[in-house]
Short mmCIF file of all heavy atoms in Angstrom, two decimals:
data_model
loop_
_atom_site.label_atom_id
_atom_site.label_comp_id
_atom_site.label_asym_id
_atom_site.label_seq_id
_atom_site.Cartn_x
_atom_site.Cartn_y
_atom_site.Cartn_z
N VAL I 766 11.78 19.08 -2.69
CA VAL I 766 11.20 19.65 -3.93
C VAL I 766 9.86 20.33 -3.57
O VAL I 766 9.59 21.46 -3.99
CB VAL I 766 10.98 18.55 -5.00
CG1 VAL I 766 10.11 19.07 -6.14
CG2 VAL I 766 12.33 18.09 -5.53
N ALA I 767 9.05 19.66 -2.76
CA ALA I 767 7.74 20.22 -2.39
C ALA I 767 7.90 21.52 -1.62
O ALA I 767 7.22 22.53 -1.91
CB ALA I 767 6.96 19.20 -1.56
N GLN I 768 8.79 21.52 -0.65
CA GLN I 768 8.95 22.72 0.17
C GLN I 768 9.57 23.86 -0.64
O GLN I 768 9.20 25.02 -0.45
CB GLN I 768 9.82 22.40 1.41
CG GLN I 768 9.14 21.53 2.45
CD GLN I 768 8.10 22.30 3.27
OE1 GLN I 768 7.84 23.48 3.08
NE2 GLN I 768 7.45 21.58 4.20
N SER I 769 10.46 23.54 -1.56
CA SER I 769 11.05 24.59 -2.40
C SER I 769 9.99 25.20 -3.31
O SER I 769 9.93 26.41 -3.51
CB SER I 769 12.18 24.02 -3.27
OG SER I 769 13.05 23.27 -2.51
N PHE I 770 9.17 24.31 -3.89
CA PHE I 770 8.06 24.75 -4.75
C PHE I 770 7.17 25.72 -3.96
O PHE I 770 6.86 26.83 -4.41
CB PHE I 770 7.27 23.51 -5.18
CG PHE I 770 6.26 23.72 -6.28
CD1 PHE I 770 6.34 22.97 -7.45
CD2 PHE I 770 5.24 24.64 -6.15
CE1 PHE I 770 5.40 23.14 -8.47
CE2 PHE I 770 4.30 24.81 -7.16
CZ PHE I 770 4.38 24.06 -8.32
N ALA I 771 6.80 25.29 -2.75
CA ALA I 771 5.90 26.09 -1.92
C ALA I 771 6.55 27.41 -1.53
O ALA I 771 5.93 28.48 -1.58
CB ALA I 771 5.50 25.30 -0.67
N TRP I 772 7.82 27.36 -1.16
CA TRP I 772 8.55 28.57 -0.75
C TRP I 772 8.63 29.56 -1.90
O TRP I 772 8.38 30.76 -1.75
CB TRP I 772 9.95 28.18 -0.27
CG TRP I 772 10.82 29.34 0.05
CD1 TRP I 772 10.77 30.14 1.14
CD2 TRP I 772 11.89 29.83 -0.76
NE1 TRP I 772 11.73 31.11 1.07
CE2 TRP I 772 12.44 30.94 -0.10
CE3 TRP I 772 12.44 29.44 -1.98
CZ2 TRP I 772 13.51 31.67 -0.62
CZ3 TRP I 772 13.51 30.15 -2.50
CH2 TRP I 772 14.04 31.26 -1.81
N ALA I 773 8.97 29.04 -3.10
CA ALA I 773 9.12 29.91 -4.26
C ALA I 773 7.82 30.64 -4.61
O ALA I 773 7.84 31.78 -5.05
CB ALA I 773 9.61 29.09 -5.46
N ARG I 774 6.70 29.97 -4.38
CA ARG I 774 5.41 30.57 -4.75
C ARG I 774 4.65 31.13 -3.53
O ARG I 774 3.53 31.61 -3.68
CB ARG I 774 4.52 29.50 -5.42
CG ARG I 774 4.89 29.10 -6.84
CD ARG I 774 4.23 29.97 -7.92
NE ARG I 774 3.07 30.71 -7.45
CZ ARG I 774 1.82 30.19 -7.37
NH1 ARG I 774 1.59 28.96 -7.75
NH2 ARG I 774 0.84 30.93 -6.92
N GLY I 775 5.21 31.01 -2.36
CA GLY I 775 4.52 31.48 -1.16
C GLY I 775 3.27 30.67 -0.85
O GLY I 775 2.23 31.22 -0.45
N LEU I 776 3.34 29.35 -1.05
CA LEU I 776 2.16 28.48 -0.85
C LEU I 776 2.31 27.63 0.40
O LEU I 776 3.43 27.38 0.85
CB LEU I 776 2.00 27.54 -2.05
CG LEU I 776 1.89 28.15 -3.44
CD1 LEU I 776 1.83 27.06 -4.50
CD2 LEU I 776 0.63 29.02 -3.52
N PRO I 777 1.19 27.14 0.94
CA PRO I 777 1.32 26.18 2.04
C PRO I 777 1.87 24.84 1.53
O PRO I 777 1.55 24.44 0.41
CB PRO I 777 -0.11 26.01 2.54
CG PRO I 777 -0.99 26.49 1.44
CD PRO I 777 -0.19 27.47 0.62
N ALA I 778 2.66 24.17 2.36
CA ALA I 778 3.15 22.82 2.04
C ALA I 778 2.60 21.88 3.10
O ALA I 778 2.80 22.11 4.29
CB ALA I 778 4.67 22.80 2.01
N ILE I 779 1.90 20.85 2.67
CA ILE I 779 1.22 19.96 3.61
C ILE I 779 1.91 18.60 3.66
O ILE I 779 1.90 17.86 2.67
CB ILE I 779 -0.26 19.78 3.19
CG1 ILE I 779 -0.90 21.15 3.00
CG2 ILE I 779 -1.04 18.94 4.19
CD1 ILE I 779 -2.17 21.11 2.17
N PRO I 780 2.53 18.26 4.81
CA PRO I 780 3.13 16.93 4.92
C PRO I 780 2.05 15.87 5.06
O PRO I 780 1.13 16.03 5.85
CB PRO I 780 3.96 17.02 6.21
CG PRO I 780 3.49 18.24 6.93
CD PRO I 780 2.65 19.07 6.03
N ILE I 781 2.15 14.82 4.28
CA ILE I 781 1.12 13.78 4.29
C ILE I 781 1.72 12.46 4.77
O ILE I 781 2.84 12.09 4.39
CB ILE I 781 0.52 13.57 2.87
CG1 ILE I 781 -0.19 14.85 2.39
CG2 ILE I 781 -0.41 12.37 2.80
CD1 ILE I 781 -1.44 15.23 3.16
N HIS I 782 0.96 11.75 5.59
CA HIS I 782 1.34 10.40 6.03
C HIS I 782 1.03 9.44 4.88
O HIS I 782 -0.10 9.41 4.38
CB HIS I 782 0.53 10.04 7.28
CG HIS I 782 1.03 8.83 8.01
ND1 HIS I 782 0.97 7.57 7.45
CD2 HIS I 782 1.59 8.68 9.23
CE1 HIS I 782 1.46 6.71 8.32
NE2 HIS I 782 1.86 7.35 9.40
N HIS I 783 2.04 8.68 4.47
CA HIS I 783 1.89 7.79 3.32
C HIS I 783 0.67 6.86 3.45
O HIS I 783 -0.06 6.63 2.47
CB HIS I 783 3.18 6.97 3.20
CG HIS I 783 3.22 6.03 2.05
ND1 HIS I 783 3.51 6.44 0.76
CD2 HIS I 783 2.98 4.71 1.96
CE1 HIS I 783 3.45 5.40 -0.05
NE2 HIS I 783 3.14 4.33 0.65
N LEU I 784 0.44 6.34 4.64
CA LEU I 784 -0.67 5.39 4.81
C LEU I 784 -2.02 6.11 4.70
O LEU I 784 -3.00 5.54 4.24
CB LEU I 784 -0.59 4.66 6.16
CG LEU I 784 0.57 3.68 6.28
CD1 LEU I 784 0.49 2.93 7.60
CD2 LEU I 784 0.57 2.69 5.13
N GLU I 785 -2.07 7.37 5.10
CA GLU I 785 -3.30 8.13 4.93
C GLU I 785 -3.60 8.26 3.43
O GLU I 785 -4.75 8.15 3.00
CB GLU I 785 -3.18 9.52 5.56
CG GLU I 785 -4.45 10.34 5.34
CD GLU I 785 -4.49 11.63 6.15
OE1 GLU I 785 -3.50 12.37 6.11
OE2 GLU I 785 -5.52 11.88 6.79
N GLY I 786 -2.54 8.46 2.64
CA GLY I 786 -2.71 8.50 1.18
C GLY I 786 -3.36 7.21 0.69
O GLY I 786 -4.35 7.23 -0.04
N HIS I 787 -2.81 6.07 1.12
CA HIS I 787 -3.37 4.78 0.70
C HIS I 787 -4.82 4.64 1.15
O HIS I 787 -5.68 4.18 0.40
CB HIS I 787 -2.57 3.63 1.32
CG HIS I 787 -1.36 3.24 0.53
ND1 HIS I 787 -1.42 2.86 -0.80
CD2 HIS I 787 -0.06 3.15 0.88
CE1 HIS I 787 -0.21 2.56 -1.22
NE2 HIS I 787 0.64 2.74 -0.23
N LEU I 788 -5.10 5.01 2.39
CA LEU I 788 -6.45 4.80 2.95
C LEU I 788 -7.50 5.63 2.23
O LEU I 788 -8.66 5.22 2.12
CB LEU I 788 -6.46 5.15 4.44
CG LEU I 788 -5.71 4.19 5.33
CD1 LEU I 788 -5.74 4.65 6.77
CD2 LEU I 788 -6.33 2.78 5.23
N LEU I 789 -7.11 6.83 1.76
CA LEU I 789 -8.09 7.70 1.11
C LEU I 789 -8.13 7.50 -0.41
O LEU I 789 -9.07 7.96 -1.07
CB LEU I 789 -7.80 9.17 1.45
CG LEU I 789 -7.90 9.52 2.94
CD1 LEU I 789 -7.49 10.97 3.19
CD2 LEU I 789 -9.31 9.28 3.48
N SER I 790 -7.12 6.78 -0.96
CA SER I 790 -7.05 6.63 -2.41
C SER I 790 -8.28 5.93 -3.04
O SER I 790 -8.62 6.25 -4.17
CB SER I 790 -5.76 5.90 -2.82
OG SER I 790 -5.79 4.58 -2.35
N PRO I 791 -8.95 5.03 -2.32
CA PRO I 791 -10.14 4.42 -2.94
C PRO I 791 -11.20 5.45 -3.32
O PRO I 791 -12.03 5.21 -4.20
CB PRO I 791 -10.68 3.49 -1.84
CG PRO I 791 -9.52 3.24 -0.96
CD PRO I 791 -8.65 4.44 -1.02
N LEU I 792 -11.17 6.62 -2.67
CA LEU I 792 -12.17 7.64 -2.97
C LEU I 792 -11.91 8.29 -4.33
O LEU I 792 -12.74 9.05 -4.84
CB LEU I 792 -12.20 8.72 -1.88
CG LEU I 792 -12.43 8.22 -0.45
CD1 LEU I 792 -12.47 9.38 0.51
CD2 LEU I 792 -13.72 7.43 -0.36
N LEU I 793 -10.73 8.03 -4.91
CA LEU I 793 -10.42 8.55 -6.25
C LEU I 793 -11.05 7.66 -7.33
O LEU I 793 -11.08 8.03 -8.49
CB LEU I 793 -8.91 8.56 -6.46
CG LEU I 793 -8.12 9.74 -5.91
CD1 LEU I 793 -6.64 9.39 -5.85
CD2 LEU I 793 -8.32 10.96 -6.79
N ALA I 794 -11.47 6.47 -6.93
CA ALA I 794 -11.98 5.51 -7.92
C ALA I 794 -13.48 5.70 -8.14
O ALA I 794 -14.15 6.39 -7.38
CB ALA I 794 -11.69 4.09 -7.43
#
Side-chain angles (χ1 to χ4, degrees):
V766 168
Q768 289 285 1
S769 311
F770 192 123
W772 174 75
R774 286 272 341 277
L776 304 176
I779 308 161
I781 297 293
H782 193 293
H783 182 80
L784 292 185
E785 178 170 49
H787 274 304
L788 290 177
L789 298 176
S790 66
L792 305 182
L793 277 163

